[in-house]
Amino acid sequence: MTRTLAILDLFADGQAHRIVDLVRATDLQTSTVHRLVRTLARAGWLEQASGGGAYRLSLRAAIVGRAAVDGFPGTQAADVLAGLRDRLDVGVSFGIPGRRVAHLLVQFPADRAVTVPSGAREAGPLHTCAMARVFLAHGLMSLDAAGNEPYRRYTEHTVRRRADLEVLVGTCREIGHAVSADEYLPGTTSVAVPVRTADGAVVAALSVEGDTDLFDPEFTTEGVDALHRAAPLLARTP
């Protein structure tokens, strides 16, 4: 059962995966991975992607996942995020990687109740998004998804070259968090950290966002520390 769930966890990034990719990620034998994937497919959690060379989460998995998100406001994890918002007095978001953008599952705006988007809500263009940089830093998204250079300009601070974005992604990988300041919306800064499973795999990201004037070095350090303390709690709470 543990190995079966470990295989299913690898699909939390929303991508289709080939058997060879799953073998590489788990260090299990190819025959074992084949058997576990077939078990998940027969149970309705996985289905073959277009072309038949890879597997992806099924509609059943999407329905169950949506139910989990809809029920999120009443969970202990929601209390963790609400506490983070109230402590820092900024918005808090929880998201997962997508093919071209990060997707927000839950938002705690600074000035109102928790928001659960009715559908996948984009966190912002990949080249401007702190949450996306976390996923890029851990191989859950590809820089190719940013498109052709120069990237679209949203403000005077927008990163427009792949080389510059690569530097920011590398910095995120090194220091453990990403910052986007005035890059998409003028006057708005966001800071994001990875959310890991018990075995250390990055599956989601947690971010805070608010007025750039708030994010001086002292406040940013406080926010990063608070995010890093909250992220493990999300992985453990129901």
Side-chain angles (χ1 to χ4, degrees), residues 13-225:
D13 61 2
Q15 307 298 315
H17 294 281
R18 301 172 299 166
I19 295 295
V20 65
D21 299 325
L22 300 173
V23 170
R24 188 180 301 116
T26 60
D27 290 328
L28 295 173
Q29 295 292 325
T30 300
S31 59
T32 300
V33 172
H34 267 293
R35 176 172 56 80
L36 296 175
V37 168
R38 285 197 299 269
T39 297
L40 288 166
R42 284 197 299 270
W45 294 102
L46 298 179
E47 63 185 19
Q48 283 198 302
S50 300
Y55 286 83
R56 65 186 181 192
L57 291 174
S58 67
L59 178 60
R60 176 182 181 181
I63 292 171
V64 172
R66 184 69 248 176
V69 171
D70 289 342
F72 187 86
T75 65
Q76 294 177 32
D79 293 339
V80 171
L81 298 190
L84 183 61
R85 175 197 60 186
D86 295 342
R87 173 182 173 182
L88 298 175
D89 197 25
V90 294
V92 178
S93 298
F94 178 76
I96 58 173
R99 291 187 180 277
R100 295 190 175 276
V101 294
H103 295 292
L104 301 179
L105 294 184
V106 180
Q107 290 182 283
F108 280 71
D111 58 351
R112 55 188 187 276
V114 58
T115 299
V116 179
S118 59
R121 179 172 178 180
E122 296 182 359
L126 183 145
H127 63 289
T128 70
C129 178
M131 193 174 282
R133 287 173 193 167
V134 168
F135 298 137
L136 289 167
H138 294 279
L140 299 180
M141 297 180 69
S142 170
L143 280 167
D144 294 340
N148 297 324
E149 301 176 76
Y151 304 142
R152 179 177 174 180
R153 182 193 301 274
Y154 292 92
T155 76
E156 61 180 324
H157 301 287
T158 301
V159 175
R160 306 195 69 203
R161 296 293 178 184
R162 181 177 178 128
D164 296 328
L165 184 55
E166 287 175 339
V167 170
L168 293 172
V169 170
T171 299
C172 172
R173 189 180 300 114
E174 179 180 349
I175 66 177
H177 69 272
V179 178
S180 175
D182 298 323
E183 296 183 38
Y184 182 45
L185 298 174
T188 301
T189 289
S190 61
V191 180
V193 304
V195 175
R196 302 174 185 271
T197 59
D199 61 0
V202 176
V203 294
L206 180 61
S207 71
V208 292
E209 51 273 342
D211 292 341
T212 295
D213 290 343
L214 289 173
F215 284 81
D216 59 23
E218 180 178 356
F219 183 84
T220 299
T221 298
E222 179 184 359
V224 169
D225 290 344

